[in-house]
């Protein structure tokens, strides 16, 4: 509608009518992430903090998977790990990228201006002049620092990690999902497992996709198969599904079994070299029945590393058993899931068979305590939410027997002792395995070993921590083992000097639930009193054993010192006694002084006839010192209740595979019957 005139007094123009059509609704801001996408964005949770830690964690995950696979079929593990350094040119050729020379040097992060170069060269010249001056004055010349090239942020180091084992292998059709679908695996359930997150090699594949874009390669064979499964795949992170490149069956000639996994990732060998080698060494300590071969391969031969950790025994711990939940350790969600999945018809059977330590008579008492709304014959799946809450409340308040440790698989004193001796070669060692105890409804066992002396062991306390038979290398200061060893053990009372002696403290904790702290799950907290008490007791038991051995060594050392001191004076004492006897013999012969005692006269006659000489007296005194030393040692042994000199245990060589035998196990030894 148009208007004419510009008078301010004219009536206001009516507004144009609005359309009756409704506006389009805004799109929802709600977004979802797949599990793979979540872990890709929060990779530090799984131990992939930086390139160096990623390399370490990849090796650890692959090694632990290999051990689990071999132990699941009671096969003595043979694990080969190879880390191959890949140069920039080789990596570019692997991904089909052509090397390109720099055009604009100033564009790069490692660009050095002429002024900066001049300053650096002048500094190097001054350093060389100082070196020459010191050399001319005869002073000790320090090696000049190696000039490191400035490494740009975009220049990364890449490594191909290969892990080969003799384990169970993987079913052909399951391989894509086992590696390409996060939170899918074979280790879920209530039992002792090595894995911390259930991610395994999947996280290595995610890191490979993030850092190199290259797929993972898996070769697998199972017993009785005449083919090898080969699969090359990566992961669709947004959909959490495997992206398969190749999945085929290949002919097998040797009909062996096991798996070989190859993955190319960005890493940092230089900064994490010691951690990776330390991990392999500690794994050899806790699994002396396994054979490890570790290789680092580089284009520079001087950087190559090859270490073989030989097998020391063929006695393996039993395979961990899956167990049922203890009533005091369940929550509402778990009770609901168990009700949904149970095959039992009524409530009485459900309580009996889905939980541990609830016999029929006790289940009936529990149902009677729940109230009139419950009956033994009522269907378990008909329970309402309120009734489930009532069951949960009663579970938290009622008294139940502790779960047994039969489902656990500790390394055992035998294997722990063997591992310590094999890798550290200590002077003395003591081990102890505690009985099963409980925290929050979960059974756990603490094993400990304490050694004194050894090779490659620093002075002071050297602490080695294991959880479900895997080494823990990071965040040591807050761990319950470290705090107990440093603050709660009075080492001097056990004749151990913790600041000067080379002390190795080994503590292994196994449980159906390890109470890790922190996102990285690298240490066990000090706030669970049951575990802290058990750790302290285990270390103290080892120290008591060591004290006995140390006291015996001290006694032997004092005995040797006393014998040495007495033997030192034998020549002087012999000379003095012989001179006195000779003078007395001369007086007797000249009748200046007569000795009426026949024995004395006979002794002097022998001295005069030179039948008794200095050498004779020296031999007699030496025999007397030996006799006194033996009598004192025998008296000490009698008082101590020891009939002979303490000896270290000796371990025989492993038996050949073709021998048939039966192992009778105890916590401290294995008795083998040959068939």
């Amino acid at each position: 509608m148009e208007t004419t005139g510009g008078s301010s007094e004219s009536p206001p123009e009516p507004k144009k009518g609005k359309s009756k059509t409704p506006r389009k609704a805004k799109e929802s801001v709600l977004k979802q992430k797949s599990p793979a996408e979540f872990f890709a964005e929060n990779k530090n949770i799984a131990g992939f903090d930086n390139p160096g830690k990623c390399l370490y964690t990849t090796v650890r995950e692959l090694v632990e998977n290999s051990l689990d696979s071999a132990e699941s079929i009671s096969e003595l593990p043979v694990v080969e790990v190879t880390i191959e350094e890949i140069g920039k040119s080789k990596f570019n050729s692997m991904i089909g990228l052509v090397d390109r020379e720099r055009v604009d040097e100033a564009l790069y992060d490692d660009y050095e201006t002429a002024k900066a170069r001049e300053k650096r060269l002048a500094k190097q010249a001054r350093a060389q002049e100082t070196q020459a001056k010191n050399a001319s004055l005869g002073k000790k010349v320090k090696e000049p620092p190696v000039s490191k090239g400035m490494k740009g942020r975009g220049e990364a180091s890449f490594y191909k990690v290969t892990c080969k084992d003799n384990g169970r292998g993987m079913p052909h059709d399951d391989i894509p999902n086992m590696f390409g679908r996060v939170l899918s695996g074979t280790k879920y359930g209530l039992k002792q497992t090595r894995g911390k997150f259930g991610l395994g090699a999947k996280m290595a594949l995610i890191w490979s996709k993030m850092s190199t874009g290259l797929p993972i390669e898996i070769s697998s064979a199972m017993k009785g198969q005449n083919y090898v499964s080969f699969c090359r795949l990566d992961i669709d992170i947004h959909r959490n599904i495997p992206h398969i490149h190749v999945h085929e069956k290949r002919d097998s000639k040797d009909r062996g079994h096991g798996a070989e996994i190859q993955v190319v990732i960005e890493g940092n060998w230089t900064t994490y070299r010691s951690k990776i080698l330390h991990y392999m060494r500690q794994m050899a300590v806790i699994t002396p029945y396994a054979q490890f071969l570790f290789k680092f391969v580089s284009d520079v031969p001087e950087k190559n590393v090859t270490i073989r950790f030989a097998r020391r025994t063929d006695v393996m711990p039993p395979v961990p058993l899956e167990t049922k939940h203890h009533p005091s350790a369940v929550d509402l969600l778990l009770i609901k899931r168990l009700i949904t999945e149970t095959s039992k018809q009524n409530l009485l059977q459900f309580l009996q068979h889905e939980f541990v330590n609830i016999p029929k008579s006790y289940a009936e008492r529990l149902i009677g305590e729940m109230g009139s709304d419950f009956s033994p014959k009522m269907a378990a799946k008909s329970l309402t939410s309120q009734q489930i809450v009532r069951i949960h409340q009663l579970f938290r308040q009622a008294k139940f027997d502790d779960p047994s440790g039969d489902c656990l698989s500790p390394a055992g004193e035998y294997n722990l002792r063997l591992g310590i001796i094999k890798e550290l070669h200590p002077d003395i060692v003591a081990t102890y395995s505690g009985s099963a105890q409980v925290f929050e409804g979960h059974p756990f066992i603490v094993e400990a070993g304490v050694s004194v002396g050894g090779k490659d062991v620093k002075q002071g306390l050297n602490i080695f921590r294991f959880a479900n038979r895997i080494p823990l290398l990071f965040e040591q200061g807050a761990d319950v083992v470290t705090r107990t060893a440093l603050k709660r053990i009075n080492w001097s009372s056990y004749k151990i000097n913790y600041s000067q002696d080379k002390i190795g403290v080994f503590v292994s904790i196994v449980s159906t639930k390890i109470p890790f702290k922190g996102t990285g799950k690298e240490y066990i907290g000090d706030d669970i009193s049951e575990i802290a008490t058990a750790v302290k007791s285990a270390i103290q038991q080892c120290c008591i054993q060591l004290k006995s051995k140390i006291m015996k060594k001290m006694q032997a050392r004092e005995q040797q010192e006393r014998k040495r001191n007495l033997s030192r004076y034998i020549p002087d004492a012999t000379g003095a006694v012989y001179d006195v006897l000779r003078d007395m013999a001369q007086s007797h012969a000249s009748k200046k002084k007569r000795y009426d005692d026949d024995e004395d006269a006979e002794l002097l006659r022998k001295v005069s006839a030179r039948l008794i000489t200095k050498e004779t007296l020296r031999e007699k005194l030496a025999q007397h010192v030996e006799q006194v030393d033996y009598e004192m040692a025998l008296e000490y042994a009698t008082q101590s209740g020891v009939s002979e000199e303490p000896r270290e245990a000796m371990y025989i060589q492993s038996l050949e595979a073709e021998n048939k035998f039966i192992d009778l196990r105890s916590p401290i030894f294995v008795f083998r019957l040959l068939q």
Side-chain angles (χ1 to χ4, degrees):
M1 183 164 137
E2 294 183 36
T3 60
T4 57
S7 173
S8 59
E9 297 178 0
S10 59
E13 178 184 352
K15 295 183 179 179
K16 188 184 289 187
K18 293 185 179 179
S19 172
K20 302 273 184 160
T21 307
R23 284 191 300 176
K24 187 177 179 181
K26 288 184 178 180
E27 294 185 3
S28 174
V29 295
L30 183 65
K31 294 182 180 180
Q32 291 184 342
K33 288 183 180 179
S34 71
E37 193 175 5
F38 171 81
F39 281 106
E41 294 178 1
N42 301 276
K43 60 185 186 298
N44 61 301
I45 294 177
F48 286 72
D49 303 60
N50 53 66
K53 186 79 177 292
C54 290
L55 181 63
Y56 162 80
T57 306
T58 298
V59 170
R60 189 198 71 194
E61 293 287 359
L62 295 180
V63 168
E64 289 164 12
N65 283 352
S66 295
L67 290 174
D68 284 336
S69 179
E71 291 173 4
S72 66
I73 56 173
S74 299
E75 187 82 20
L76 291 171
V78 178
V79 182
E80 298 180 11
V81 180
T82 304
I83 301 177
E84 181 184 351
E85 190 175 28
I86 299 176
K88 181 180 177 182
S89 298
K90 185 176 180 180
F91 174 74
N92 287 346
S93 66
M94 291 174 67
I95 62 175
L97 186 65
V98 179
D99 286 342
R100 177 179 170 81
E101 296 294 332
R102 294 183 178 185
V103 178
D104 187 355
E105 288 285 349
L107 186 66
Y108 293 89
D109 186 50
D110 58 355
Y111 172 69
E112 188 178 32
T113 63
K115 186 175 181 180
R117 188 182 304 110
E118 182 181 350
K119 187 177 180 181
R120 176 173 57 83
L121 293 175
K123 185 177 180 181
Q124 290 179 356
R126 288 195 301 271
Q128 291 174 358
E129 184 180 348
T130 304
Q131 292 280 344
K133 185 177 179 180
N134 290 338
S136 63
L137 295 174
K139 295 181 180 180
K140 188 176 180 181
V141 179
K142 294 183 179 180
E143 289 291 330
V146 179
S147 178
K148 296 183 180 180
M150 194 172 179
K151 195 169 184 179
R153 290 187 298 271
E155 186 179 348
S157 300
F158 300 101
Y159 302 88
K160 180 167 72 174
V161 182
T162 306
C163 186
K164 184 179 180 181
D165 63 62
N166 63 335
R168 178 192 295 273
M170 292 164 278
H172 179 79
D173 295 333
D174 291 344
I175 292 177
N177 282 331
M178 292 179 77
F179 287 87
R181 194 184 297 272
V182 173
L183 301 183
S184 66
T186 58
K187 297 182 183 178
Y188 294 115
L190 189 63
K191 65 177 181 179
Q192 173 190 327
T193 59
R194 281 193 173 94
K196 297 178 182 177
F197 300 94
L199 295 175
K202 304 178 190 70
M203 198 62 215
L205 175 56
I206 290 176
W207 173 242
S208 173
K209 188 173 179 67
M210 294 174 67
S211 59
T212 68
L214 292 172
I216 192 172
E217 293 186 356
I218 306 104
S219 298
S220 173
M222 302 184 73
K223 283 185 177 180
Q225 289 182 348
N226 58 1
Y227 63 87
V228 173
S229 300
F230 177 79
C231 188
R232 182 184 297 118
L233 60 88
D234 62 22
I235 184 172
D236 186 334
I237 290 180
H238 300 291
R239 298 167 62 195
N240 191 32
I241 60 173
H243 178 212
I244 301 172
H245 297 229
V246 179
H247 190 201
E248 60 188 13
K249 297 179 180 179
R250 298 177 176 178
D251 293 336
S252 174
K253 296 180 181 179
D254 58 1
R255 299 178 68 87
H257 58 88
E260 181 175 343
I261 301 170
Q262 284 188 359
V263 61
V264 180
I265 60 172
E266 180 186 348
N268 191 327
W269 167 255
T270 304
T271 57
Y272 274 77
R273 176 183 186 275
S274 60
K275 286 291 185 184
I276 293 173
L277 296 180
H278 199 192
Y279 169 83
M280 295 300 299
R281 186 186 187 193
Q282 289 199 28
M283 188 58 83
V285 168
I286 202 67
T287 54
Y289 52 87
Q291 176 179 308
F292 297 99
L293 177 62
F294 178 84
K295 293 181 181 179
F296 177 79
V297 182
S298 173
D299 294 335
V300 182
E302 292 78 11
K303 294 172 63 177
N304 290 349
V305 176
T306 300
I307 303 177
R308 182 184 298 276
F309 299 92
R311 178 181 295 121
R312 184 64 184 267
T313 178
D314 58 1
V315 177
M316 295 175 58
V319 179
L321 302 176
E322 187 168 354
T323 186
K324 296 173 184 176
H325 294 275
H326 192 269
S328 64
V330 296
D331 53 37
L332 280 172
L333 193 62
L334 180 56
I335 296 175
K336 290 179 180 179
R337 180 169 66 82
L338 292 175
I339 291 173
T340 304
E341 297 174 354
T342 187
S343 60
K344 304 305 174 184
Q345 298 299 319
N346 57 52
L347 180 58
L348 180 64
Q349 293 176 343
F350 171 73
L351 294 178
Q352 278 184 260
H353 296 94
E354 296 296 340
F355 302 94
V356 294
N357 294 351
I358 302 185
K360 182 178 180 181
S361 58
Y362 204 73
E364 291 173 342
R365 290 176 61 190
L366 289 172
I367 294 173
E369 184 66 22
M370 291 175 190
S372 58
D373 295 341
F374 297 84
S375 68
K377 300 284 187 181
M378 70 183 300
K381 295 185 183 297
S382 67
L383 290 169
T384 64
S385 298
Q386 291 79 7
Q387 289 175 321
I388 294 174
V389 170
R390 175 61 184 141
I391 294 175
H392 180 237
Q393 290 175 346
L394 185 58
F395 277 177
R396 296 185 65 175
Q397 298 171 1
K399 180 172 61 177
F400 298 95
D401 292 336
D402 290 337
S404 69
D406 297 341
C407 60
L408 301 179
S409 176
E413 278 193 71
Y414 179 77
N415 282 335
L416 182 60
R417 183 183 181 87
L418 272 182
I420 296 172
I421 293 174
K422 178 170 75 81
E423 293 304 320
L424 269 67
H425 303 281
D427 299 331
I428 51 176
V429 61
T431 54
Y432 174 79
S433 180
S435 57
Q437 300 186 49
V438 181
F439 79 96
E440 298 177 1
H442 295 278
F444 72 94
I445 294 176
V446 175
E447 297 175 304
V450 179
S451 65
V452 178
K455 68 173 187 179
D456 299 331
V457 183
K458 299 177 182 177
Q459 278 190 341
L461 291 177
N462 299 266
I463 297 173
F464 302 83
R465 303 169 294 135
F466 304 92
N468 280 352
R469 292 196 271 133
I470 62 172
L472 303 178
L473 269 62
F474 296 90
E475 301 184 52
Q476 178 170 294
D479 192 89
V480 61
V481 176
T482 305
R483 293 194 173 187
T484 299
L486 290 176
K487 299 180 180 180
R488 303 185 184 122
I489 303 296
N490 185 6
W491 295 98
S492 60
S493 65
Y494 302 104
K495 307 299 181 183
I496 298 174
N497 188 331
Y498 77 93
S499 60
Q500 294 184 1
D501 292 338
K502 298 178 178 180
I503 307 168
V505 180
F506 303 79
V507 176
S508 172
I509 302 174
V510 297
S511 176
T512 54
K513 179 187 177 182
I514 297 292
F516 289 114
K517 296 291 184 180
T519 55
K521 295 191 174 183
E522 289 291 350
Y523 73 98
I524 300 173
D526 195 29
D527 55 342
I528 300 177
S529 59
E530 295 90 345
I531 293 181
T533 302
V535 168
K536 180 181 178 181
S537 175
I539 296 176
Q540 284 177 329
Q541 290 297 323
C542 294
C543 291
I544 291 171
Q545 298 176 44
L546 286 181
K547 182 179 179 180
S548 174
K549 295 182 179 182
I550 292 171
M551 290 292 291
K552 289 172 184 175
K553 284 199 169 190
M554 291 173 61
Q555 180 71 19
R557 194 159 47 245
E558 291 173 1
Q559 180 182 339
Q560 290 176 355
E561 185 66 22
R562 184 174 58 250
K563 180 179 176 181
R564 192 182 301 113
N565 290 336
L566 289 173
S567 300
R568 186 187 306 163
Y569 296 109
I570 285 178
D572 295 338
T574 301
V577 171
Y578 184 76
D579 290 342
V580 171
L581 289 175
R582 187 178 56 189
D583 293 342
M584 292 174 64
Q586 292 175 355
S587 300
H588 182 74
S590 61
K591 299 183 179 180
K592 291 181 179 179
K593 187 173 182 180
R594 305 292 296 180
Y595 294 91
D596 299 330
D597 191 287
D598 294 340
E599 291 183 1
D600 294 344
E602 180 65 19
L603 175 63
L604 296 176
R605 187 188 65 78
K606 289 182 179 181
V607 171
S608 299
R610 300 192 62 82
L611 297 176
I612 294 178
T613 62
K614 284 186 179 182
E615 288 71 22
T616 307
L617 291 177
R618 186 179 292 112
E619 290 177 5
K620 292 292 184 181
L621 276 175
Q623 292 176 6
H624 181 70
V625 168
E626 289 284 349
Q627 180 66 24
V628 170
D629 184 69
Y630 173 77
E631 289 176 355
M632 292 183 69
L634 187 63
E635 181 182 359
Y636 171 78
T638 304
Q639 292 174 354
S640 304
V642 181
S643 58
E644 58 178 290
E645 181 70 19
R647 299 171 185 173
E648 288 294 330
M650 184 177 70
Y651 301 92
I652 61 175
Q653 190 177 1
S654 300
L655 299 174
E656 297 298 329
E658 58 264 23
N659 291 334
K660 295 183 179 179
F661 49 81
I662 298 174
D663 285 346
L664 303 177
R665 301 169 183 268
S666 92
I668 58 174
F669 72 92
V670 176
F671 187 74
R672 177 162 288 172
L673 296 176
L674 297 178
Q675 293 181 332

